[in-house]
Amino acid sequence: MPRSLFLAAAIFFSLLTSSRGQFDFAQGLDGAKDSATATLSSEVSLIAPGKPFTVAFQLAIPPEWHAYYVNTGGVEKSPALTWTLPEGFTAGPIQWPVPEVKDGVLGKSFAYEGTQIFLVEISPPAGLEMDEAVKLSAKATWQICDKQSCVDEKADLTLDLKAADAPSVDPEKTALFTKARAALPKVSAAWTLAVGSAADSVKIRMTPGKGAAENLDAAGLQFIPADKFVKTSSDGGSVAKDGNDWVVTLKRATEDALGDKITPGKTLSGILSAKSPLDVTLGANAILLSDAAVTTPPPPPPAPLSIGALLPILGGMLLGGLILNLMPCVFPVIGLKIMGFVQQSGEDSKKIMLHGLMFTLGVLASFWALSGVLFAARAAALAKSGSADSIGWGYQLQNPWVVLGLMLMMFILALNMYGVFEIGASATSVGGKLQSKNGLSGTFFSGVLATLVATPCSAPFLGVAIGTAIGLPAVQFFLAFTAMGIGLSMPYLVLSIFPKLIHLLPRPGAWMESFKQAMAFFLFATAGYLLWVYTGQIGLENMLGPIFGLSAIAIGAWILGRWNLPYREKSVRFIAMGLALLFAVGGFWITKPPEKSKLVWEPWSAERVTELTEAGTPVYVDFTAQWCATCQFNKKRAYTPEIIQLMKDKGIVALKGDKTNPDPAIEEKLRELGRTAIPVNVLYVPGKEPIVTPELLTPDYLKELFSKEIPAKE
């Protein structure tokens, strides 16, 4: 069956489930037979201070239905327990019995049938008082499925216990807990397990020790992963004997059943199960592999290519560097550099050649520096994970500070080229003071700048060649990127070596100012592209800072160009310089990458507010929009680290009602609150009327509001 039909089937079953609704464990679908029943039991009747004890979550699954392991293998939901415990109590993770491996609609699934018992260890505090009554509450949720549909179910479970000086086992529960522990996989002392990693698979090597089973059934031996980034061994993997060892190979999973990307894990957990005994001490014939490190053997050094194989790569890099001269990112630099050759056309030919060589040296030095960083990143990636797939040309652009620096450079140079302000007595070329001198240092800087702005444009044209070059040994690696640098600088190098060609270019004249201003628009476009990249790194909600920041920098440049002129009085020039610097520094400050907020916002819905408040949880709602400037101002000013911590201490859940696009539900709620425009911020305290805050928020107001309206936790 094609993948699209699998997905269609999954969506159909999901819709079918939604139409049938969610049920409490006692309600069912067409009667009690289709509903699982849940109970919570304690192994002890009396608990003692500081002495952990075990509770059992028992799920009786109806015939022809099944529940799921922690890794369902698909898109289904596993049983979960949300605990409400007295102060000082903690609950451990669910201990999972060995599931069955089934063939599901979207692949292998790991399921339970019949009555299943899930154990959880509870730890009471050391300061628990004697004879104190203890109530443990848990909200249990699970999903059961048959061949046609799945149903979400839930139950509220409680246990009433009493504290004593020593724990007392409940004899009536002994058989239940003995059965539950027998179904659990155990860490085996008879086998040594080692986990290794490759690019597309993970391998578990099982080395037998004293007491290990001598004859295993390879057909019945398989690994059930607790993590989604590997598949079960029966799904494309293998089990093979290697001397006395057994090697279980698991294929990596890069996406889940619905096509969403899966992040590779650094540790592996799961269950090794077998039809024949893995270990004579294990009745369940299963071994627990818990959080074993996924180790990667050091990769062999890349083998050098033959001359015949290397030449096409060098040719591709050379041609790619030459093509970069036509890219929008590089073209403004090219145009201005050619204009520099026009200006130098009357100079000595040797001097012109020297400028061409200095420009080429600037390009090559930059390529060597960037490729050196890339080579170091490749070595680090190989040492860490055995793969350098995430490392590529433009790797430095993953750093928002680098993108910000390039964006500001392009924007300021564009303002300069357009004539908003001038650097020095003449600004007829890119590069500020360095290039305005028309000296060798300016030419060298032009080569550096050309390389920097070429980086974002190279990937579409050089992807294959760069991908191949990254796998080369050191000497051939740097040789390939040297060829790319020579390609980028070749037009200037040719013009400098054959200066007579310069006479074919237009002579200097009034057209040069128009040409310079026209080139500014390409730089503005490049700055806009980098702003788009930068926004993706810092988040759309933080885009207002860079927009206002660039506007402030532009105002500073305008002040500089308007009043810092040679014929102005010194006092005027001094004030202009101060104001320009003030706007530039302020613009940079609000443009820089923001600190990530630790306040987590959930999507707003009226149902979610009701659910939380009925459970006794205070709720804070922010009705906002991207286009609402006051809303963004509130976010920057009001939610300080102190306020965020106070909200956590008070147990406040933050919800965001996003009105960026029309939303009838939000409009209706605003009318209900007596408001017609945003921002609107509302505090819901269980048992009280909603409190609508003022439009402008301050940390002091929120601190007083939360402290006054929400009582401290007991």
Side-chain angles (χ1 to χ4, degrees), residues 349-636:
S349 59
K350 292 182 179 179
K351 187 175 181 180
I352 295 174
M353 182 183 297
L354 187 58
H355 275 279
L357 292 174
M358 285 300 294
F359 180 86
T360 302
L361 183 60
V363 171
L364 292 179
S366 302
F367 266 85
W368 291 332
L370 290 174
S371 57
V373 172
L374 179 61
F375 189 80
R378 183 191 77 167
L382 288 171
K384 184 176 181 180
S385 63
S387 173
D389 293 343
S390 62
I391 306 299
W393 188 248
Y395 172 74
Q396 70 276 11
L397 292 178
Q398 296 176 5
N399 188 325
W401 285 101
V402 174
V403 176
L404 174 62
L406 285 174
M407 177 181 69
L408 294 179
M409 181 190 299
M410 294 298 102
F411 185 67
I412 293 171
L413 291 177
L415 293 172
N416 173 231
M417 289 172 61
Y418 193 71
V420 175
F421 73 105
E422 299 289 336
I423 300 177
S426 175
T428 56
S429 63
V430 178
K433 289 183 178 180
L434 286 173
Q435 293 197 56
S436 65
K437 293 178 180 179
N438 248 349
L440 296 179
S441 59
T443 302
F444 180 87
F445 180 75
S446 296
V448 174
L449 182 61
T451 304
L452 287 175
V453 299
T455 305
C457 298
S458 59
F461 296 89
L462 299 173
V464 176
I466 289 176
T468 304
I470 285 176
L472 296 175
V475 173
Q476 295 183 343
F477 175 90
F478 285 102
L479 188 60
F481 284 100
T482 299
M484 184 177 174
I486 292 174
L488 178 61
S489 60
M490 186 174 290
Y492 320 104
L493 196 59
V494 170
L495 285 173
S496 65
I497 295 175
F498 303 101
K500 291 184 178 181
L501 295 177
I502 297 176
H503 296 290
L504 299 177
L505 299 174
R507 304 301 299 171
W511 65 271
M512 293 175 63
E513 181 63 24
S514 298
F515 183 75
K516 185 185 75 168
Q517 291 185 6
M519 290 298 100
F521 291 103
F522 288 98
L523 283 178
F524 279 127
T526 303
Y529 165 74
L530 291 168
L531 175 61
W532 175 69
V533 175
Y534 186 61
T535 302
Q537 293 173 329
I538 65 174
L540 184 62
E541 68 276 5
N542 294 310
M543 187 179 180
L544 208 58
I547 290 175
F548 287 151
L550 291 176
S551 300
I553 291 171
I555 292 173
W558 174 71
I559 292 174
L560 193 69
R562 183 79 174 174
W563 283 283
N564 185 36
L565 298 173
Y567 64 84
R568 296 281 190 181
E569 296 181 3
K570 286 186 177 181
S571 59
V572 174
R573 297 180 64 184
F574 180 78
I575 294 173
M577 286 286 290
L579 288 175
L581 183 63
L582 181 64
F583 275 100
V585 172
F588 172 78
W589 182 258
I590 61 177
T591 304
K592 67 182 180 67
E595 294 184 5
K596 290 187 177 181
S597 175
K598 296 182 180 179
L599 183 58
V600 179
W601 295 92
E602 295 184 22
W604 171 86
S605 70
E607 294 77 14
R608 180 59 173 158
V609 173
T610 301
E611 177 186 356
L612 289 168
T613 52
E614 287 182 351
T617 303
V619 179
Y620 179 78
V621 181
D622 178 20
F623 292 104
T624 182
Q626 289 291 140
W627 41 260
C628 171
T630 307
C631 304
Q632 308 309 321
F633 180 75
N634 282 340
K635 287 182 175 61
K636 294 290 185 184

Side-chain angles (χ1 to χ4, degrees), residues 646 650 652 683 685 688 691 700-712:
L646 179 61
K650 295 286 186 178
I652 302 172
L683 177 64
V685 180
K688 298 182 180 181
I691 302 170
D700 290 339
Y701 171 80
L702 291 179
K703 182 178 180 180
E704 181 181 357
L705 174 67
F706 297 149
S707 301
K708 178 181 177 181
E709 298 295 339
I710 303 174

Side-chain angles (χ1 to χ4, degrees), residues 277-347:
L278 285 168
D279 186 329
V280 294
T281 64
L282 294 182
N285 294 338
I287 294 177
L288 179 66
L289 178 64
S290 179
D291 293 334
V294 178
T295 59
T296 303
L305 297 180
S306 64
I307 296 297
L310 181 62
L311 284 178
I313 296 176
L314 296 180
M317 298 290 276
L318 182 72
L319 180 61
L322 188 62
I323 292 175
L324 285 181
N325 287 293
L326 304 177
M327 293 298 99
C329 302
V330 188
F331 190 61
V333 180
I334 308 250
L336 272 296
K337 200 61 215 166
I338 290 177
M339 201 163 68
F341 279 121
V342 172
Q343 292 174 324
Q344 298 168 18
S345 59
E347 298 181 5

Side-chain angles (χ1 to χ4, degrees), residues 24-28 32-38 59-62 142 144 153:
D24 288 337
F25 74 97
Q27 183 175 354
K33 65 177 182 179
D34 286 334
S35 179
T37 56
L59 192 64
I61 305 166
W142 65 90
I144 58 173
E153 299 184 329

Side-chain angles (χ1 to χ4, degrees), residues 98-99 101 185 191 206 213 215-224 233 239 246 248 271-279 282-287:
V98 181
V101 180
W191 292 87
M206 304 171 55
N215 297 314
L216 288 179
D217 179 7
L221 178 64
Q222 63 178 331
F223 182 73
I224 303 170
S233 53
V239 177
W246 287 88
V248 180
I271 299 170
L272 274 163
S273 65
K275 292 181 179 179
S276 57
L278 285 168
D279 186 329
L282 294 182
N285 294 338
I287 294 177

